[in-house]
Amino acid sequence: MEIIHRITNIFQNTFGYAPAHIARAPGRVNLLGEHVDYNDGFVLPAAIDRATYIVFSPASTPHSTLVAVDLNQQASFSPQAIPSKTQTDSSPLPDWAHYPAGIMWTLLEESLSAPAMNAVYASDVPRGSGLSSSASVEMAFMIAWQTIGGWALPPMQLALLAQKAENQYVGVNSGIMDQFASACGMENKLLLLDCRSLEWQTVPLPESVSIVIADTTVRRNLTSGEYNKRRAVCEEAVRYLQMDLPQIKSLRDVSADDFNRFAEKLPGEAAKRARHVVEEIERTKQAQALLEAGDVQLFGRLMNECHVSLRDLYEVSCAELDAMTRIAQSIDGCHGARLTGAGFGGCTVNLVERESANHFASSLAKKYEIETGLRPQVYISRPSKGAELL
Ligand code: GLA
């Protein structure tokens, strides 16, 4: 593979010897269940055929040296400097290095061995696009440290540790979906996860359809601030609803009927956000039966409804995501289209008749460019394997 070849050469030139190992961890796309993982709901993601690749070896120095090829930057840090987020030369760790340093931090917290390493990495998951490029970096480093640390944990445990790094070291209060999908992905399968019990199963992607991912190419700043705010408002909604429904622990426990009875007691913003979550969880509960029955039409309708809800109630869409979704829904063969991931720019996910997928992709790209003046990236994707040592 070209990307592995490239990072291997850079490793050789940087460190003067060949790397011992290669790790790969995919990004993910989410079909249904958006902004519900941190409300104990159900999600339906798949790992995709785009990934972060790391070539690495144990280092003979006390510090780890990492090269981020896509950014053309290098950073080095030792375990002692992890808490202060500084490099070996005392300068601040660059933001991108918080992800690998966060993994080392979480492993040290768990008393798991995270020896110094030399590593070079690159990714073909577009950054900040809603396809979990950061979770794929985290999971790839998790596999790398597991390899040279000489321990082994089940994929779900690795995902939970990576989520802890993201929450507590990087400072984004994300749920478990992204790391889970990157860790546990399976070829040609969607993954249905109960974010409360962490039980999961695979759901087959019906043979007749393809997943098409469309990148608006729009990136918003301050995404993590808005994300953390949404999460806090959901917690606020739970506190209000607990006055009438004392048994609930999260929005997962609130039925649509109960929500309708008490919604007016919530402040306006909390009522809108919570309604999205309650109704989205209801939608994901229907997903498995629909997909198993091959009812892609009805499933696609749920995707369309999800987009409307993310746009109007959760307010995480933007003009370009709305345009991409609207255009997609007007093209023949498209069963459903919606923004995927946290929102605020990035990608849409589309469920499209397999036979129409190529035509759909080119037509969507053309029409989006005419309407917005932006040249999108549109590609047909395939559910792929989770994080692994190659
Ligand atoms: C981001 C987070 C996930 C999830 C999605 C929205 O990708 O990392 O945990 O909350 O947003 O569904």
Side-chain angles (χ1 to χ4, degrees):
M1 248 189 118
E2 196 265 324
I3 192 167
I4 295 176
H5 188 67
R6 194 153 48 92
I7 57 180
T8 303
N9 280 340
I10 295 173
F11 187 103
Q12 176 82 47
N13 293 339
T14 309
F15 300 109
Y17 63 97
H21 310 282
I22 308 169
R24 165 194 164 275
R28 65 99 191 91
V29 67
N30 188 24
L31 276 284
L32 207 61
E34 211 66 271
H35 285 283
V36 300
D37 59 350
Y38 51 84
N39 291 294
D40 286 348
F42 300 87
V43 293
L44 189 65
I48 56 173
D49 47 359
R50 291 185 169 227
T52 297
Y53 296 84
I54 311 183
V55 290
F56 60 98
S57 285
S60 51
T61 51
H63 53 266
S64 294
T65 301
L66 313 181
V67 179
V69 172
D70 301 326
L71 302 167
N72 198 16
Q73 285 191 36
Q74 184 167 324
S76 85
F77 53 83
S78 61
Q80 295 72 28
I82 290 276
S84 61
K85 297 188 173 143
T86 51
Q87 302 208 55
T88 318
D89 65 4
S90 301
S91 65
L93 266 185
D95 286 349
W96 61 267
H98 289 189
Y99 296 97
I103 298 303
M104 182 183 256
W105 171 82
T106 193
L107 296 178
L108 297 174
E109 287 261 302
E110 298 294 317
S111 304
L112 287 163
S113 164
M117 71 162 104
N118 292 328
V120 176
Y121 75 98
S123 183
D124 57 11
V125 185
R127 258 193 319 281
S129 69
L131 300 179
S132 298
S133 54
S134 24
S136 79
V137 170
E138 290 162 0
M139 288 312 305
F141 275 97
M142 194 60 96
I143 298 293
W145 265 306
Q146 173 172 259
T147 306
I148 62 173
W151 43 269
L153 287 175
M156 181 62 93
Q157 284 308 113
L158 299 180
L160 286 165
L161 289 178
Q163 183 202 9
K164 184 174 164 192
E166 174 127 4
N167 292 171
Q168 297 185 30
Y169 194 82
V170 179
V172 181
N173 251 333
S174 55
I176 186 62
M177 172 170 70
D178 305 349
Q179 292 81 7
F180 155 74
S182 182
C184 299
M186 308 246 302
E187 268 178 53
N188 298 321
K189 304 277 192 220
L190 306 177
L191 314 169
L192 180 64
L193 171 69
D194 176 338
C195 297
R196 170 171 279 164
S197 68
L198 297 183
E199 278 166 17
W200 64 278
Q201 52 187 303
T202 60
V203 180
L205 181 69
E207 287 280 318
S208 62
V209 287
S210 297
I211 296 172
V212 180
I213 295 174
D215 189 344
T216 59
T217 71
V218 173
R219 304 287 184 264
R220 295 274 179 266
N221 292 326
L222 301 173
T223 305
S224 62
E226 285 298 322
Y227 182 93
N228 288 350
K229 239 195 273 173
R230 295 293 183 290
R231 184 167 183 161
V233 171
C234 289
E235 285 159 13
E236 184 196 346
V238 172
R239 286 194 294 276
Y240 274 98
L241 289 165
Q242 276 169 338
M243 291 184 224
D244 293 294
L245 303 165
Q247 75 286 5
I248 66 164
K249 295 200 164 53
S250 65
L251 290 175
R252 151 84 173 265
D253 303 316
V254 183
S255 67
D257 284 348
D258 274 346
F259 184 75
N260 286 330
R261 275 167 60 209
F262 302 117
E264 64 184 24
K265 298 190 178 179
L266 268 60
E269 188 192 4
K272 275 205 281 186
R273 307 293 188 250
R275 178 175 295 284
H276 163 75
V277 173
V278 168
E279 293 178 353
E280 179 74 351
I281 291 175
E282 298 275 321
R283 280 189 283 274
T284 46
K285 283 184 183 162
Q286 302 172 48
Q288 183 177 14
L290 290 177
L291 287 170
E292 278 171 358
D295 193 342
V296 286
Q297 254 142 8
L298 213 50
F299 181 81
R301 210 146 84 203
L302 297 180
M303 292 174 69
N304 294 342
E305 285 173 22
C306 169
H307 185 79
V308 171
S309 181
L310 290 168
R311 183 190 69 199
D312 298 344
L313 297 176
Y314 221 65
E315 297 180 279
V316 292
S317 191
C318 63
E320 295 83 357
L321 282 167
D322 292 342
M324 189 74 96
T325 303
R326 179 170 34 77
I327 296 166
Q329 288 167 353
S330 76
I331 300 174
D332 275 354
C334 176
H335 295 296
R338 64 175 199 83
L339 76 84
T340 191
F344 314 104
C347 291
T348 65
V349 57
N350 305 271
L351 197 68
V352 181
E353 273 306 297
R354 186 174 291 273
E355 289 170 358
S356 318
N358 282 319
H359 169 260
F360 170 85
S362 56
S363 172
L364 178 59
K366 212 181 305 155
K367 291 181 172 169
Y368 176 81
E369 185 173 352
I370 292 170
E371 183 163 329
T372 63
L374 299 168
R375 180 160 298 172
Q377 296 288 321
V378 183
Y379 40 92
I380 300 168
S381 188
R382 229 169 24 87
S384 84
K385 257 173 107 178
E388 60 185 336
L389 187 68
L390 294 180

